[in-house]
Amino acid sequence: MTAKIHVGIALPGSKDELSLSSKLLIDCFSQHKCNVTKLKLRNIDIIASKDKINISSTGAALEPFDVFINRHNVLDRREHDFAVARLIEDTSKVVLNPLSKSFFTHNKFHANSLLQNFGIPIPKIYKPGLNYNSDDIIETIGLPLILKANTGNQGKGVVYIDNKLSLISIIDCLINLNEDFFLQEFVLEAAADCPRAVLIGGELIAAYGRSSKKDDFRAKLKDGKFGGFMKISEKDQEVFKKIYKLTELDILGIDFCVTDHGIKIIEVNAYPGLGNIYKASGLNLAENFYQHAINRLQIKT
Ligand SMILES: Nc1ncnc2c1ncn2[C@@H]1O[C@H](COP(=O)(O)OP(=O)(O)OP(=O)(O)O)[C@@H](O)[C@H]1O
Ligand SMILES: [Mg+2]
C-alpha cells in the first residue's frame, strides 16, 4: 500500500470559518485520499533549542509535508506567520507558490515595473515622491487616472481621480498618513469590465469576463457579474506565458483588458480565489491545482 500524500494548507484570514476557496481545495485533496492538515500559521509555535528548530501546532511537532500550499497571505505584515511559513517551506518536498515567488505580487508597483521591463504591456505608472509635481503627473499619465494602494486590499484600494484638486489633496493625505501608493493611467477598457486568466503550472486553464456592480468601475466576480469564458488568441497566450516565466507562480490570476492595441495587464494575483468562479460557473480549479501538485511531486520523487 502506498503512503498517503501529506498536504499542508496554510489558510488565510484570522476567522475560524473556512472560505469557499479553502473548502474547495481541502475537499479536492481529501477526495483524492491525501492526508490534509489545515494550518493557521498564527497558532503555530517555533521552538528553537540548541541544534534544531521545531515547529509545533498545539504542542505536537509538525511532520514535514509532501506538499505545502501557502494560501495564507503571509506577506501581509505578519512577521510571525512569515517566519513559520519559511520554516515549513524548508522542510516540505514541494511548495506551491513559495514566499520567494509570492513577493512578486506583494508590491504592486514593483510588480508593474518588472512586467514593463520584461516587455509586457501595462498601463503607464507613476510613483510620486514627497516633492511631486502634479502637472508632471497629469502630463505623463493624463486625467482621469487611477490611484492604487501598493499592497492588495481586497478590491478596496483602487481610486478613480478625475481632477487636479482631488489628485493633490488625496496624494497629500496619503503621504501624510505614510501610506504606500502609486498612480496608473486610466484605461477605459478596464473600467467596469476586466477579465481574468488563470494559469496553473504555466498552463492557461481558463479566462473569463468579470464586470463591476452598478455605479462602480472596479470589476470583480465577488459582487459583480460573470461574463462567460473567453477564447484567448495565441499572441495573448504568449503574454500570459511570459508572466508565468517571470513570476514562476504555480497558480496565477492575471487581470487584463482588451484594447485596440492588444491586451494590457491590470494586475497579477498570486492565489486567485477559487470560490467566486466556482459559484459563477461551476468550474472547480482545485482539481487542476491538485493535478499540478501531483505532477510536481512525481518529478521530485
Ligand atoms: N488602470 C485602470 N483603469 C481602469 N480601470 C482599472 C484600472 N486598474 C484597475 N481598474 C479596475 O479596478 C478593478 C480592480 O483593480 P485591481 O485588479 O488593480 O485591484 P484589486 O483587484 O482591487 O486588487 P487586490 O485584489 O490586490 O486588492 C479592476 O478589475 C478594473 O476593473
Ligand atoms: Mg484585481
Side-chain angles (χ1 to χ4, degrees), residues 276-291:
N276 291 327
I277 183 64
Y278 176 73
K279 264 200 277 187
S281 73
L283 175 68
N284 189 352
L285 291 164
E287 191 57 42
N288 303 76
F289 202 48
Y290 165 78
Q291 288 304 336

Side-chain angles (χ1 to χ4, degrees), residues 18 27 90 117 129 135 138 184 222:
L18 288 175
D27 287 353
D90 286 349
N117 289 345
D135 289 328
I138 293 171
Q184 196 175 51
K222 191 161 180 250

Side-chain angles (χ1 to χ4, degrees), residues 108 194 196 210 219-220 255 266-267 269:
K108 289 190 179 196
C194 189
R196 170 170 289 176
R210 307 173 310 154
K220 54 186 158 112
D255 299 348
I266 297 296
E267 190 194 21
N269 305 274

Side-chain angles (χ1 to χ4, degrees), residues 93-217:
K93 273 193 200 144
V94 166
V95 182
L96 300 179
N97 278 21
L99 289 169
S100 56
K101 311 288 182 208
S102 302
F103 269 123
F104 182 89
T105 56
H106 184 56
N107 183 321
K108 289 190 179 196
F109 183 79
H110 188 228
N112 270 293
S113 324
L114 290 174
L115 291 173
Q116 182 150 42
N117 289 345
F118 216 58
I120 290 158
I122 57 162
K124 284 183 206 149
I125 47 173
Y126 197 123
K127 199 164 192 328
L130 284 182
N131 302 320
Y132 73 91
N133 176 329
S134 57
D135 289 328
D136 188 58
I137 293 174
I138 293 171
E139 207 172 295
T140 311
I141 61 174
L143 274 178
L145 56 75
I146 296 290
L147 181 146
K148 289 188 180 181
N150 208 11
T151 49
N153 275 274
Q154 303 270 311
K156 299 279 162 61
V158 178
V159 181
Y160 175 86
I161 297 176
D162 66 355
N163 65 77
K164 189 170 164 179
L165 286 182
S166 302
L167 178 67
I168 295 172
S169 49
I170 295 174
I171 292 180
D172 285 349
C173 172
L174 292 176
I175 287 180
N176 187 44
L177 292 171
N178 209 13
E179 289 293 339
D180 196 16
F181 68 94
F182 68 102
L183 307 168
Q184 196 175 51
E185 171 192 2
F186 176 77
V187 184
L188 185 62
E189 291 86 346
D193 208 348
C194 189
R196 170 170 289 176
V198 178
L199 272 73
I200 295 181
E203 292 299 319
L204 175 66
I205 306 297
Y208 48 90
R210 307 173 310 154
S211 38
S212 63
K213 64 179 176 192
K214 195 172 165 280
D215 298 329
D216 199 342
F217 72 98

